[in-house]
Amino acid sequence: MTYAGVWTIAEARDGALRQVSFELLTRGRKLADKRNTTLSSVVLASGISDETVRELIKRGADRVYVVDDPALAHFTAETFSNVLVKLIDTYAPEIIIAAATTSGRTLMPHVSMRTHAGLTADCTDLDIEEGTGNLLQTRPAIGGNILATIKTPEFRPQMSTVRPRSTKPAPVDASRTGEIVRLPFDPALRDGRVRRIGFKANEGEEVDIQSADVVVSGGKGLKKAENFALIRELAEKLGGSIGASRDAVDRAWIGYPHQVGLSGKTVTPKLYVAAGISGAIQHLAGMKTAETIVAINSDPDAQIFRVADYGIVGDLFEVLPLLNERLSREVGSK
Amino acid sequence: MNIVIPIKQVPETSNVKMDEKTGTMVREGVESIINPLDLYAIEAGIQLKDRFGGTVTVISMGPPNAEKAIREAIAMGCDGGVLVSGREFAGSDTWATAYALSESIKKIGAFDLILCGERATDGDTGQVGPGIASFLDVSLATYVSRIVETDEKEIVVERLIEDGYETLAMRLPALVTVVKEISYPRLPTLRGKQKARKTAVPVWAAAEIGIDAAKLGLNGSPTRVVKIEMPKVTRGGKIVPAPDEESAVRAVDGLVDFLKSKDFI
């Protein structure tokens, strides 16, 4: 079989596309151009309009495959895997890129086993090797201590998941044209073994720290739960989400979905602020790929300062109120 | 309820040392431990066994000394374990590892539930758990933070996703990967350690499992590592001391300027 073309796996919820779908197009377009081939997006969703999916074309896709059925309203590994495997068998793409989200990190391994494809998780960089045309995938491993470049020389497709926010969304070009291909959902592919019977949305504050541009995290140095108010205030002023070290989560000052680090989440925001966090290697593993890191800690020897672009060695109970006040004035004076 | 828990032996990460020249990990003097994220799966498995009876079997693929990880799991309260080991497995990527483990689990016998850690702290892929579910064609849920209830036919779990927690009812047999929130791992007991010493841990090579060696190791692995780099750890950023209020004001001014220069304000 001849494999050709680059695919991205778009993500949709409630009839809308998620931003990560457009970030994947930035990656995909670059690879498709280097391979001199077409870029297609795959949308598995329920109740998604042509108008909505056309945005994928305006942002770089040449073709969009849409499978639209109530069975695809929410992600379940088995049904999504069945549909994607069928599409791969039919159209034989050379490269497939998906988001390193809870669904992408579940769907892609499930599919890669069935198609005997090479899959590389959580990539931070993708490129095409000159000469061979193979996909070069770079990813951090061993808690971010190494960057490994991986390729799949003999098996196809070549598949990757890439971290949300690790690249900018592809810009809209209203003049771009392309093809929307709606494919019928084959009911035989519906797998009823896993049913979604409930959902509890995050309440109040934003905890989707993996797709935030700014994450402000607090640690043991905050001394008690109430002091997270300082972190919340700063996060609000910087337009960011709230993160936490394991120490803070284990003391029940804040919920587990906020935990950054080895046993929590890995984040790659544009700005990461760590206040009262010493920077144990387990924490660094979860945030050291952030673009810019600011640290506030009273201990000059704290490990967090090794990865900081700007650090303040001082008492956070002095520094954070000052900073929040300054930011109020800055925003006020704009 | 019969439970199987695939575990991995990993280097203790709190003091990872890298060889600057080769870009590989210095293994001498580094203690090997059970992947910390597997401990949550082990604890969840023991708790299910305590409530519903049955057995908990751990399985690990790795070098001969990974037997130590299996004995540690037994010391925590697992009933037994199997080590999958042999030269033919060396160099396996996540495809070949998931394949080898799924075939080994078939040989262990009938199971209701497979519990996995979310990922291993060395490879960091999180692909082997979902991969085993794919090979065995059993129900799959990842990032599970709570087991709500279970009976002979079904397990209900809560799954932590980007925008909240979803509840899934899964037909058994099933494979679930768990996150830290699911349990607080117990320590091995003295009695557990004695039991672990006395328990035989069979070692299976490909021939014992009866699997196709062409699908193992480098031969079966689609991916190849072509380059290892070490990103610089120290950023050499500006570190400003702020021992008193006056210097704190200056440091905050400097920080605000810094954030402005980066367009964060």
Side-chain angles (χ1 to χ4, degrees):
Chain A
M1 194 187 282
T2 313
Y3 290 87
V6 176
W7 283 11
T8 63
I9 309 298
E11 290 198 9
R13 182 72 50 90
D14 300 329
L17 293 166
R18 304 193 134 190
Q19 167 165 307
V20 72
S21 313
F22 309 133
E23 296 168 16
L24 296 177
L25 290 174
T26 304
R27 305 265 188 194
R29 191 68 257 171
K30 175 182 138 187
L31 300 175
D33 290 345
K34 282 201 172 182
R35 287 294 287 148
N36 199 14
T37 184
T38 56
L39 174 63
S40 306
S41 276
V42 174
V43 182
L44 310 182
S46 173
I48 196 151
S49 68
D50 277 3
E51 194 194 336
T52 302
V53 299
R54 191 161 290 118
E55 187 168 356
L56 293 163
I57 292 171
K58 288 180 183 158
R59 291 180 186 264
D62 301 303
R63 190 181 299 114
V64 183
Y65 293 109
V66 184
V67 184
D68 188 327
D69 190 90
L72 303 171
H74 298 287
F75 174 75
T76 51
E78 296 77 16
T79 302
F80 274 61
S81 173
N82 286 343
V83 175
L84 188 54
V85 167
K86 175 93 179 291
L87 289 174
I88 293 169
D89 288 347
T90 309
Y91 297 104
E94 188 183 41
I95 292 172
I96 306 176
I97 319 166
T101 53
T102 54
S103 48
R105 302 277 263 105
T106 308
L107 173 63
M108 298 309 277
H110 202 277
V111 168
S112 75
M113 301 299 150
R114 298 171 67 182
T115 53
H116 206 162
L119 171 64
T120 303
D122 253 345
C123 294
T124 50
D125 195 33
L126 298 176
D127 207 347
I128 299 292
E129 187 177 48
E130 276 188 41
T132 66
N134 285 323
L135 178 65
L136 291 174
Q137 307 157 303
T138 302
R139 66 180 302 266
I142 321 185
N145 283 289
I146 64 160
L147 276 178
T149 303
I150 290 161
K151 67 178 176 182
T152 305
E154 281 159 37
F155 292 77
R156 292 292 181 269
Q158 308 160 92
M159 313 200 319
S160 303
T161 60
V162 299
R163 290 190 182 173
R165 299 284 161 157
S166 62
T167 188
K168 287 194 171 62
V172 172
D173 173 353
S175 68
R176 276 191 56 88
T177 54
E179 180 190 9
I180 297 173
V181 183
R182 285 197 175 257
L183 299 162
F185 175 74
D186 176 358
L189 300 182
R190 192 181 163 277
D191 187 311
R193 286 178 293 178
V194 178
R195 291 172 297 123
R196 190 189 207 241
I197 56 171
F199 179 64
K200 204 164 59 191
N202 295 327
E203 275 173 35
E205 58 208 24
E206 182 57 51
V207 296
D208 185 7
I209 54 176
Q210 284 171 308
S211 59
D213 279 337
V214 177
V215 176
V216 182
S217 289
K220 200 163 57 176
L222 285 167
K223 295 203 167 75
K224 54 182 179 179
E226 295 76 58
N227 293 332
F228 252 95
L230 290 167
I231 299 291
R232 284 198 182 89
E233 192 182 341
L234 181 57
E236 200 178 307
K237 293 208 153 61
L238 291 170
S241 292
I242 298 158
S245 70
R246 178 180 177 154
D247 280 324
V249 172
D250 284 352
R251 285 170 172 75
W253 296 347
I254 191 159
Y256 170 70
H258 295 273
Q259 188 180 322
V260 173
L262 213 56
S263 54
K265 288 174 181 155
T266 302
V267 297
T268 315
K270 293 198 177 71
L271 173 63
Y272 188 87
V273 182
I277 294 176
S278 63
I281 192 157
Q282 291 85 347
H283 187 76
L284 298 185
M287 45 64 75
K288 72 177 171 196
T289 50
E291 210 172 288
T292 300
I293 296 171
V294 170
I296 301 159
N297 201 294
S298 56
D299 175 8
D301 297 323
Q303 291 292 309
I304 194 79
F305 288 123
R306 290 175 61 210
V307 299
D309 298 288
Y310 195 100
I312 298 180
V313 184
D315 181 357
L316 67 88
F317 295 107
E318 192 162 40
V319 174
L320 286 181
L322 277 170
L323 181 59
N324 283 331
E325 191 201 337
R326 268 299 307 271
L327 291 174
S328 300
R329 275 191 279 141
E330 291 293 334
V331 176
S333 66
K334 257 186 192 170
Chain B
M1 171 169 261
N2 290 330
I3 298 169
V4 176
I5 306 179
I7 63 172
K8 186 177 185 187
Q9 191 182 46
V10 300
E12 231 257 287
T13 43
S14 56
N15 55 358
V16 170
K17 288 191 185 68
M18 304 296 296
D19 183 325
E20 304 266 346
K21 287 199 187 89
T22 60
T24 54
M25 202 162 31
V26 178
R27 300 230 175 215
E28 290 93 63
V30 178
E31 204 193 335
S32 290
I33 55 170
I34 298 178
N35 168 36
L37 306 188
D38 291 345
L39 297 177
Y40 306 116
I42 293 171
E43 177 61 38
I46 296 170
Q47 285 181 16
L48 283 171
K49 180 189 121 169
D50 288 348
R51 277 173 60 198
F52 302 102
T55 59
V56 179
T57 309
V58 288
I59 181 164
S60 189
M61 182 171 132
N65 67 13
E67 184 193 317
K68 184 172 152 263
I70 291 170
R71 292 198 190 276
E72 269 175 52
I74 296 170
M76 283 175 74
C78 296
D79 298 286
V82 175
L83 176 64
V84 177
S85 191
R87 278 178 194 285
E88 61 275 30
F89 300 106
S92 293
D93 71 358
T94 56
W95 194 96
T97 303
Y99 172 71
L101 284 172
S102 63
E103 290 296 315
S104 307
I105 290 168
K106 281 185 197 164
K107 185 177 157 75
I108 289 175
F111 62 88
D112 303 292
L113 184 64
I114 300 172
L115 291 168
C116 301
E118 182 210 324
R119 66 198 142 83
T121 56
D122 54 353
D124 269 342
T125 75
Q127 292 179 172
V128 171
I132 294 170
S134 182
F135 276 118
L136 293 174
D137 192 20
V138 296
S139 316
L140 167 65
T142 48
Y143 306 98
V144 166
S145 57
R146 190 161 81 95
I147 293 168
V148 182
E149 56 185 326
T150 183
D151 59 25
E152 312 84 71
K153 286 186 185 151
E154 211 173 58
I155 185 164
V156 178
V157 299
E158 244 173 43
R159 177 170 184 258
L160 175 60
I161 60 174
E162 284 79 5
D163 46 5
Y165 291 88
E166 63 179 6
T167 310
L168 301 176
M170 312 169 70
R171 199 178 308 156
L172 297 174
L175 184 145
V176 162
T177 77
V178 304
V179 294
K180 175 192 157 190
E181 208 172 10
I182 199 163
S183 66
Y184 190 82
R186 70 190 69 189
L187 293 168
T189 59
L190 193 60
R191 246 181 83 198
K193 284 179 183 168
Q194 287 166 343
K195 184 185 157 209
R197 271 197 294 275
K198 281 183 259 164
T199 307
V201 175
V203 181
W204 293 349
E208 270 95 25
I209 305 162
I211 46 177
D212 185 355
K215 290 184 178 173
L216 301 174
L218 280 175
N219 291 332
S221 299
T223 61
R224 293 282 179 274
V225 177
V226 290
K227 194 170 72 177
I228 300 277
E229 278 176 294
M230 291 174 54
K232 63 175 196 315
V233 180
T234 306
R235 295 194 181 203
K238 187 171 182 178
I239 309 297
V240 186
D244 50 40
E245 202 187 328
E246 197 186 322
S247 53
V249 170
R250 272 203 308 276
V252 167
D253 283 345
L255 175 55
V256 169
D257 289 342
F258 173 77
L259 292 174
K260 276 186 188 166
S261 74
K262 298 261 178 189
D263 283 335
F264 290 120
I265 306 175

